[in-house]
Amino acid sequence: MKILVTGGTGRVGSEVVKELQKRKADIRLLVRKNDAPTPTGVETAIGDLLDPVSVEKAMNGVDKLYLLNAVLPDELTQGLIAYDLAKKLRLRHVVYHSVFRVEHFKDVPHFASKLAIESALREFDIPFTIIRPNYFIQNDATLQDALTKSGIYPMPLGQVGISAVDIRDIAEAAAIALTSDGHFGKTYNLNGPEVLSGPKIASIWSRVLGKEIRYAGDDMDAFEQQMRKKAPSWSAFDIRMMFQGYLERGFVAEDGDLDTLTKLLGHAPRRYEDFARETFVKWQAIPKAA
Ligand SMILES: NC(=O)c1ccc[n+]([C@@H]2O[C@H](COP(=O)([O-])OP(=O)(O)OC[C@H]3O[C@@H](n4cnc5c(N)ncnc54)[C@H](OP(=O)(O)O)[C@@H]3O)[C@@H](O)[C@H]2O)c1
């Protein structure tokens, strides 16, 4: 039973690969470059999700597909090329990495792409499982300077908050869905165990860093402007629309989500504060430039 993994060099995909290896799964990674950073001994196929010929070649001889697409303006095309070829080759199972509450965020470009891909999965007869993760806890690993230098938690999560989830739990859930029975046709919401508002995360970091961290607030224009300094403007806009949706429509786990995920994983999902403590230890281990 061979599994083709897309996005295997990325944050979630590389953890999915580790979880599949723990379960002794036979895997092949679709990678774009010969020298892509992959674990030793793992089979790779060179290809690009925008090049159907290379994707079909990579899919030949595999039974299952783990489909994760990067957030890009052509995400929908990349996702459908992979799905349509999985359908053509009659793969036995597709596990698709989507996003939580996707049907409530039709105005957010990368959510709308995922909703369209989900609807193709539901339309045709290839067995599928959809995983829908909340905001990744690990996104905040990039906030070292804001937290430690400026004393600010800058992500506009609002007062109601979200149920951010640890990437390691997402990877475990994906690997379980790919390597055990009983997941065909299922959609799993993947949420963390607690509701995290902007002020609540600031208070967690205050405890972890031993100094006051202030929540920066929900000024979306200022946030988008900041985002444009480190990302293309289409991406800054997309991310702004996502956070605006969190504030307007909420991103908190639904009833039953936590029980379902705890049963699926065989343990409770990981907590934000544990991530914050681990991350702070890593930051302390890295020498800072003067
Ligand atoms: N961040 C969040 O809070 C959050 C929450 C829920 C869902 N999500 C979803 O999670 C996904 C992102 O996961 P991630 O953070 O693990 O992604 P990531 O670290 O950005 O990795 C993206 C992966 O996609 C590959 N890729 C990009 N373009 C490709 C192409 N044309 N052909 C083949 N491979 C290509 C990259 O390969 P290279 O190494 O060659 O670049 C890399 O392996 C997105 O769909 C996002 O919407 C994110």
Side-chain angles (χ1 to χ4, degrees):
M1 187 69 69
K2 188 175 286 254
I3 304 164
L4 181 70
V5 175
T6 72
T9 53
R11 290 188 300 167
V12 176
S14 56
E15 294 295 326
V16 171
V17 170
K18 285 185 205 159
E19 290 299 327
L20 287 172
Q21 285 182 308
K22 279 188 205 161
R23 289 165 179 79
K24 311 269 179 252
D26 186 7
I27 49 184
R28 179 187 294 165
L29 308 191
L30 179 81
V31 292
R32 289 198 281 183
K33 296 182 206 130
N34 261 320
D35 59 351
T38 55
T40 38
V42 173
E43 184 185 334
T44 55
I46 308 293
D48 190 301
L49 286 166
L50 281 175
D51 170 20
V53 175
S54 68
V55 178
E56 184 162 357
K57 223 165 140 193
M59 242 180 233
N60 258 309
V62 309
D63 305 282
K64 298 187 171 206
L65 170 67
Y66 171 70
L67 179 58
L68 178 146
N69 297 111
V71 175
L72 292 166
D74 48 24
E75 174 176 354
L76 175 57
T77 304
Q78 295 200 18
L80 286 183
I81 285 175
Y83 176 66
D84 291 345
L85 290 168
K87 186 153 68 66
K88 177 181 170 190
L89 297 176
R90 305 213 57 79
L91 297 201
R92 292 204 226 165
H93 189 194
V94 175
V95 173
Y96 176 57
H97 176 103
S98 183
V99 65
F100 183 53
R101 302 208 80 212
V102 66
E103 66 276 50
H104 299 285
F105 286 68
K106 297 188 182 89
D107 52 347
V108 179
H110 73 283
F111 280 58
S113 299
K114 289 177 177 65
L115 188 59
I117 296 165
E118 279 200 10
S119 75
L121 284 155
R122 294 177 205 286
E123 179 89 15
F124 300 101
D125 57 358
I126 300 297
F128 68 87
T129 307
I130 294 170
I131 56 173
R132 289 177 159 188
N134 203 299
Y135 186 80
F136 301 164
I137 285 178
Q138 277 77 5
N139 293 340
D140 288 359
T142 60
L143 301 181
Q144 182 174 8
D145 282 351
L147 291 163
T148 61
K149 290 187 185 159
S150 313
I152 280 174
Y153 179 74
M155 308 314 282
L157 295 181
Q159 304 295 325
V160 176
I162 63 171
S163 303
V165 64
D166 193 298
I167 279 179
R168 293 164 291 188
D169 291 329
I170 302 170
E172 267 185 71
I176 290 165
L178 284 160
T179 57
S180 61
D181 294 333
H183 309 292
F184 286 2
K186 299 255 172 79
T187 297
Y188 294 117
N189 289 337
L190 309 182
N191 291 297
E194 63 208 323
V195 179
L196 298 161
S197 65
K200 170 132 189 217
I201 295 195
S203 74
I204 292 174
W205 281 108
S206 299
R207 253 194 320 276
V208 171
L209 301 178
K211 65 174 195 169
E212 197 194 336
I213 302 298
R214 203 167 45 79
Y215 174 52
D218 314 333
D219 179 340
M220 298 312 299
D221 289 336
F223 175 71
E224 187 184 344
Q225 242 173 42
Q226 272 304 112
M227 288 295 296
R228 267 195 232 123
K229 290 183 188 157
K230 32 190 179 179
S233 59
W234 64 263
S235 168
F237 181 81
D238 190 334
I239 301 296
R240 177 235 175 97
M241 291 304 292
M242 177 183 84
F243 279 100
Q244 207 167 296
Y246 291 176
L247 301 183
E248 289 164 2
R249 280 155 262 165
F251 217 54
V252 170
E254 289 163 12
D255 286 349
D257 283 353
L258 275 184
D259 285 349
T260 308
L261 181 56
T262 302
K263 271 193 207 122
L264 184 71
L265 299 177
H267 62 79
R270 293 164 172 88
R271 295 167 60 244
Y272 186 95
E273 182 151 350
D274 296 330
F275 150 82
R277 291 192 185 282
E278 283 167 31
T279 303
F280 183 43
V281 170
K282 282 185 202 154
W283 288 345
Q284 284 175 308
I286 300 165
K288 285 233 129 235

